[in-house]
Amino acid sequence: MSIKLGFYVFLIHSLLITSSLCNSCASKEEVVPSPEEGQCSQESVKQSFVTRFTECSLSPEVGEGPYFIEEDIIRSNIVEDRIGIRLNVTLNLVDFNTCKPIKGAKVYIWQPDYSGIYSGFMDKPRVKREKMYPKDPRRFLRGTQVTNENGTVTFETLFPGHYPGRTPHIHYRIHANGNVAHIGQIFFDESTSQVIQSKSPYNQVHSRRMKNEEDGEFTYFNGKKSIINIDPQSLSGDSLEGILNLAINPLHRSNLMWA
Ligand SMILES: *[C@@H]1O[C@H](CO)[C@@H](O)[C@H](O)[C@H]1NC(C)=O
Ligand SMILES: *[C@@H]1O[C@H](CO)[C@@H](O)[C@H](O)[C@H]1NC(C)=O
């Protein structure tokens, strides 16, 4: 087991201890209810190619990684000067207890460019367990949006590149009720990744692309529940359309911050 994964296991372990302690003291704010407690309607609203929320089981969190920068860069289009395959990411947030949209939550996303580089950390620093501070002023492929009345945010971005040890992914973090309520990563199904990696500029990157099932974070955090739904029609064009529905607990306080 890698040191990094060990660290996550430690975090998860402390999360479990915290929530069981809190269950016994019945502090409502701290308790993370189990998905079965969610009272969710079975109604669904057709939204283009995806059916919204036929169930509201709690979406899994995924570790934050070292490259988050807490700056509110409020914008939908985060591409700047980067090249790659266009990707629109829509996230629909609902409260897993009520299945109702979460309005006014702040959603951050950040991701590497096609070559695996994150803005702010373009010199590829050695990853340490403590908090990492950005070394350069670039902020491409980072942005923040506030969910609308439907609990929705949309970002215009690019398909993310890969780098050694990780499958392609996009990070996100959700602030609600003044807390870091949910931290996650967006993944892609293998067939989508295969199509994209065969295209320029992704095919010019020579490090091997790790598959989801080989990625310790994907498997540990049940990443298949964080795979974005890509419109199959968009896959044959030159820009992708993806939707991920997230059922979260807006009163949760995430323990998955890097440091
Ligand atoms: C919310 O969804 C409804 C129904 O689909 C739609 O009519 C409305 O325009 C949406 N609101 C926003 C702000 O997009
Ligand atoms: C992505 O969003 C932009 C801006 O709304 C839009 O012009 C473009 O058509 C969208 N792309 C796809 C594939 O839907």
Side-chain angles (χ1 to χ4, degrees):
M1 182 186 290
S2 74
I3 289 172
K4 207 159 123 189
L5 193 57
F7 181 52
Y8 285 127
V9 173
F10 165 76
L11 282 176
I12 286 289
H13 188 63
S14 35
L15 178 68
L16 291 176
I17 291 171
T18 313
S19 64
S20 61
L21 278 178
C22 288
N23 272 327
S24 58
C25 66
S27 152
K28 177 125 176 57
E29 290 262 311
E30 299 285 334
V31 174
V32 182
S34 66
E36 292 72 38
E37 289 172 38
Q39 297 299 312
C40 297
S41 92
Q42 294 297 308
E43 282 170 38
S44 61
V45 180
K46 274 280 185 207
Q47 200 195 51
S48 61
F49 56 95
V50 82
T51 305
R52 275 186 75 136
F53 297 109
T54 49
E55 50 147 346
C56 288
S57 63
L58 193 58
S59 300
E61 291 194 90
V62 186
E64 181 172 62
Y67 301 120
F68 177 65
I69 302 175
E70 189 163 354
E71 287 174 7
D72 291 0
I73 310 170
I74 304 287
R75 57 181 176 180
S76 173
N77 188 327
I78 63 173
V79 175
E80 296 191 9
D81 63 347
R82 297 295 105 175
I83 57 167
I85 307 280
R86 288 268 177 176
L87 166 66
N88 289 353
V89 172
T90 293
L91 300 177
N92 295 314
L93 267 58
V94 293
D95 182 330
F96 91 111
N97 261 305
T98 60
C99 258
K100 297 234 167 72
I102 301 175
K103 183 187 169 192
K106 199 152 78 175
V107 180
Y108 297 85
I109 75 168
W110 68 103
Q111 65 171 87
D113 71 2
Y114 80 92
S115 71
I117 287 175
Y118 288 86
S119 61
F121 301 93
M122 292 179 75
D123 63 345
K124 294 190 178 172
R126 200 169 68 81
V127 169
K128 301 188 210 110
R129 282 198 205 178
E130 66 256 35
K131 186 162 171 57
M132 304 217 326
Y133 295 95
K135 291 264 172 40
D136 63 75
R138 297 302 312 275
R139 293 294 181 265
F140 56 78
L141 302 177
R142 294 178 183 274
T144 309
Q145 296 264 308
V146 176
T147 55
N148 68 16
E149 59 181 324
N150 295 326
T152 301
V153 288
T154 300
F155 291 95
E156 288 174 71
T157 185
L158 301 172
F159 193 87
H162 64 276
Y163 48 91
R166 291 308 316 279
T167 190
H169 64 283
I170 296 175
H171 294 271
Y172 69 88
R173 173 163 159 165
I174 298 165
H175 289 196
N177 301 302
N179 294 320
V180 181
H182 195 97
I183 291 174
Q185 295 180 24
I186 300 165
F187 297 107
F188 301 85
D189 63 50
E190 180 57 24
S191 58
T192 301
S193 290
Q194 262 175 25
V195 170
I196 301 302
Q197 300 297 337
S198 68
K199 294 185 181 182
S200 178
Y202 303 88
N203 59 6
Q204 288 150 33
V205 176
H206 295 300
S207 68
R208 195 180 76 88
R209 175 178 61 86
M210 192 175 243
K211 292 182 179 169
N212 288 338
E213 302 302 331
E214 301 169 314
D215 180 318
E217 292 186 48
F218 179 91
T219 52
Y220 187 78
F221 290 105
N222 199 7
K224 59 183 183 301
K225 292 207 160 169
S226 301
I227 291 179
I228 192 167
N229 201 338
I230 297 287
D231 183 352
Q233 287 189 327
S234 72
L235 198 52
S236 54
D238 57 2
S239 91
L240 304 176
E241 182 73 24
I243 297 184
L244 181 61
N245 296 326
L246 295 171
I248 73 163
N249 177 358
L251 297 178
H252 177 57
R253 294 179 189 197
S254 182
N255 259 355
L256 292 180
M257 268 93 85
W258 183 254

